[in-house]
Amino acid sequence: MSDAPASRGLNRTLLGKLIVVAILMFGFAYALNPFYRQICEALGINVLTQKDGTVSAPVNTQIDTSRQVVVEFDGNAQGPWRFRPVTHSMTVHPGELVTAMYEVVNTQNRPVSAQAIPSYAPQNAMPHFKKVECFCFKQQTLQANEARQMPVVFFIDPALPREVKTITLSYTFFEVGGLEKTAAR
């Protein structure tokens, strides 16, 4: 019977340790999201929206007419709409300011808020793809059954490695904020 009080003491010690571990795990999970975003931004990987809003249109930039780069456009939709590039590819000179259009159609009978996330291939082209204006910089709200054309104004930095002949710009367009609240019936 003398083991019972010792056993209770060990159980309480174990319970205290488990509570501390659970609290530490919760704190770690809470801090992980902003930490993950900062690491990704620092390394330039999995960036939700590239901070190209600070890039201004090139002024007196030398257009490298000796080179041509094919830019391919792709669009993927995750939600209640059709999303596609209007032009599927174009040939540009590094340093040349160009505009490409994407079209989105909300196929629902309700307003929808969405965000476009860009990705680039090859990945080493990403720092050289400079967007001056892009619908991916902010959320888009589409009214019921609305169709919209959205521009991407960009230039390719002439410092792009010469072995890169083709760049693919792909957007995934997905709903944010969940379903909009509907009026009470």
Side-chain angles (χ1 to χ4, degrees), residues 19 38 43 46-47 52 148 169 176 180:
I19 289 173
Q38 287 195 352
L43 296 176
N46 196 24
V47 179
D52 285 349
R148 184 185 301 169
L169 172 62
V176 292
E180 298 288 329

Side-chain angles (χ1 to χ4, degrees), residues 110 179-185:
R110 63 179 172 85
L179 300 175
E180 298 288 329
K181 303 247 182 209
T182 56
R185 295 177 202 180

